[in-house]
Amino acid sequence: MRHAKKRQILSNLKLMKKYLLTFILLVLITKYGKAQFIDKYGINIGASYSDQFWDYKLISIDNPNKDYKIGFLAFLSAEKKISKMFSIRSEIGYIQKGFKNNVEMTSSDGTSAGVNKENVIFHDLAANIGLKITPFDLKFSPYMLIGLSADYMISYKDIIFEEQGSGLKFNMYQSEIDKFKKLNLGGLIGIGFELNDLIYLEIEYNPSITNSYSSKGLDIKDNCWGIKIGFNIN
């Protein structure tokens, strides 16, 4: 028990170190970046809407894919205008991905384990870079984003089910998730509206390019939508 506790403390310290280094980097970017090459920078927050595609290659399953769940996202953004119509926008931040379970487990006595519709949550650090296209120079300007996204899973929350007869508890997806790739790449497709260069509302889609998991019998890919409201600080 002591060794397990010690390992948990060391793991938490490593995680805190990652967060601290990320925070310091973001502060430096925010403080010094604008003076050198950034036209505007800000923050956006919103909701993610994610699931996963489970492609069983050797067997046929009626409903292999997981269901959508709602999560939270928050990013710092920086933007550089390269022409009247085009800008480069980069983001770094945090996003919750995962899925809602649609498989019900039963105990040895046939009773439901009550895990259907519970969420598996991935806590990811994420970065986006995209070409922002603003065709009209208006007070309330529509725009489009095309680019790439990347996310790195720092931790996850699995679904736990308990066997009623024995009282034993089991992780439902741990055996698969522990084999997931931490880093994944995806596309970035978005549309939005910006008011006076100060506030914007945006919807984006991140189709996965890489597999989170791949074997002879199963491929797993993330799938994520997002809606967010942003504020340009400068």
Side-chain angles (χ1 to χ4, degrees):
M1 181 67 71
R2 289 182 180 176
H3 292 300
K5 202 171 197 180
K6 187 176 180 181
R7 284 196 299 269
Q8 184 62 41
I9 291 172
L10 290 173
S11 176
N12 289 337
L13 287 174
K14 288 180 181 178
L15 191 59
M16 288 176 65
K17 184 179 178 182
K18 285 183 181 179
Y19 285 138
L20 181 60
L21 290 174
T22 302
F23 176 75
I24 292 172
L25 177 62
L26 292 177
V27 170
L28 290 174
I29 290 172
T30 301
K31 186 174 181 179
Y32 298 108
K34 179 180 178 292
Q36 296 178 14
F37 57 86
I38 297 175
D39 290 325
K40 55 185 175 184
Y41 61 93
I43 186 171
N44 59 67
I45 58 174
S48 59
Y49 192 55
S50 63
D51 71 342
Q52 282 193 327
F53 297 145
W54 288 46
D55 180 17
Y56 291 92
K57 294 178 284 186
L58 302 179
I59 58 176
S60 177
I61 295 180
D62 290 339
N63 186 27
N65 297 324
K66 304 306 176 184
D67 291 341
Y68 280 96
K69 63 165 283 294
I70 296 175
F72 173 75
L73 60 83
F75 286 88
L76 291 177
S77 65
E79 189 173 319
K80 174 64 179 177
K81 203 166 186 66
I82 56 177
S83 72
K84 187 174 182 180
M85 185 182 296
F86 299 108
S87 303
I88 299 295
R89 195 180 80 181
S90 59
E91 295 179 311
I92 186 170
Y94 165 81
I95 186 170
Q96 284 182 359
K97 291 187 176 182
F99 56 87
K100 187 182 291 293
N101 175 50
N102 55 10
V103 177
E104 185 57 277
M105 304 293 292
T106 56
S107 301
S108 55
D109 59 1
T111 58
S112 170
V115 295
N116 191 23
K117 303 305 178 186
E118 289 194 18
N119 293 333
V120 172
I121 301 172
F122 304 138
H123 300 286
D124 291 359
L125 292 177
N128 302 325
I129 186 165
L131 177 68
K132 181 180 175 182
I133 306 168
T134 309
F136 308 110
D137 187 13
L138 304 173
K139 182 178 180 181
F140 193 62
S141 299
Y143 64 86
M144 180 178 180
L145 276 172
I146 301 175
L148 294 172
S149 67
D151 54 82
Y152 184 88
M153 184 173 67
I154 53 177
S155 65
Y156 69 89
K157 177 182 174 293
D158 197 6
I159 296 171
I160 308 294
F161 71 92
E162 182 177 352
E163 211 171 48
Q164 297 298 320
S166 65
L168 294 174
K169 295 182 179 180
F170 302 91
N171 288 280
M172 191 166 179
Y173 292 101
Q174 183 180 13
S175 60
E176 288 90 359
I177 297 174
D178 282 347
K179 299 174 186 174
F180 278 13
K181 290 191 298 184
K182 300 290 187 182
L183 177 66
N184 280 287
L185 300 177
L188 171 64
I189 304 169
I191 56 171
F193 294 91
E194 189 168 25
L195 177 62
N196 287 335
D197 282 334
L198 294 176
I199 186 171
Y200 57 90
L201 179 67
E202 185 175 299
I203 298 173
E204 67 178 37
Y205 176 52
N206 300 124
S208 208
I209 296 173
T210 59
N211 292 328
S212 298
Y213 175 82
S214 185
S215 69
K216 290 183 179 180
L218 176 63
D219 285 337
I220 299 175
K221 277 189 175 183
D222 288 338
N223 186 51
C224 186
W225 293 80
I227 181 168
K228 51 194 178 186
I229 184 168
F231 307 90
N232 293 317
I233 297 171
N234 55 326

